[in-house]
Structure formats: C-alpha cells, structure tokens
C-alpha cells in the first residue's frame, strides 16, 4: 500500500533530478501565473495544473524528460499523473520549486 501511494505521488526510487535537468529536461511549473510571477526556476514553462490537460500540445515531444514542480509537490504529483496518462514517458515529480531549484543548481 505504501509503495502504491509513493508511486502515485511520484516518490518512487530516487532519481538524480540534477542529471535529468542537465540532460535537457523540461521544467514544468504547474502553479498559477501569479505564483509563477513571484519566482520560478529560470527556463521553466508555466502551465497551471487546471490548464494542463488542454495545453499538452505545448509539450511536443512525449519522449523528452519532464520534471514537474509547484509550491509543495501536490499539484506537481497530479501533473505527473496527467502527463503519464497522456503518453508522456519520462515524467518526474520535482516537488516544490524552491527545493527543486536547489537540487538542480
């Protein structure tokens, strides 16, 4: 049961997010435009979680790695599930954007 919950939230086996980012991953910030405007990871794409399903075409390559982030990790976990259910193959929950920024800097 715990394993299923971890996988649902994207907290499975540890992934070196710095290496994934350096390989050219898309950083997808799913916070609102207002939240994004207060600070974000340089180069991140902002598509709010409530707009993600209707904007999947902006993430053209379903094989390209994507690291999702938000304020705390909850919305980014939901975004990961949406992307995977739509055929994206390499999607990682980066959690909160500040924590992710420190990991990949």
């Amino acid at each position: 049961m715990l394993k299923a919950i971890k996988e649902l939230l994207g907290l499975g086996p540890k992934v070196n997010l710095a290496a994934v980012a350096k390989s050219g991953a898309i950083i997808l910030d799913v916070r609102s435009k207002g939240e994004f405007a207060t600070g974000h990871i340089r180069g991140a794409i902002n598509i709010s979680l409530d707009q993600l399903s209707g904007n999947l075409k902006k993430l053209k390559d379903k094989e390209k790695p994507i690291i999702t982030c938000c304020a705390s990790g909850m919305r980014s976990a939901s975004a990961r599930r949406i992307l995977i259910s739509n055929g994206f193959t390499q999607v990682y929950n980066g959690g909160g954007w500040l924590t992710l920024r420190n990991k990949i800097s």
Side-chain angles (χ1 to χ4, degrees):
M1 173 105 171
L2 184 58
K3 180 181 177 187
I5 292 170
K6 284 184 175 184
E7 286 181 12
L8 184 67
L9 294 175
L11 302 172
K14 294 290 182 190
V15 173
N16 183 338
L17 294 176
V20 174
K22 286 180 184 173
S23 76
I26 294 169
I27 307 297
L28 176 62
D29 191 321
V30 295
R31 296 176 297 149
S32 70
K33 288 182 193 265
E35 289 173 293
F36 188 78
T38 65
H40 57 272
I41 296 170
R42 183 180 301 162
I45 295 172
N46 178 229
I47 304 173
S48 63
L49 181 61
D50 63 339
Q51 300 292 312
L52 183 58
S53 293
N55 286 286
L56 295 174
K57 62 183 174 257
K58 291 182 179 179
L59 306 169
K60 300 169 185 139
D61 185 355
K62 290 187 176 189
E63 303 297 320
K64 186 168 184 155
I66 299 174
I67 303 172
T68 60
C69 65
C70 62
S72 68
M74 295 303 293
R75 287 177 283 179
S76 59
S78 296
R80 179 181 179 273
R81 287 191 302 276
I82 290 168
L83 293 170
I84 289 172
S85 70
N86 281 280
F88 290 83
T89 60
Q90 297 184 66
V91 186
Y92 307 94
N93 180 3
W97 77 274
L98 285 169
T99 302
L100 178 60
R101 184 180 66 181
N102 291 337
K103 287 180 182 176
I104 66 174
S105 296

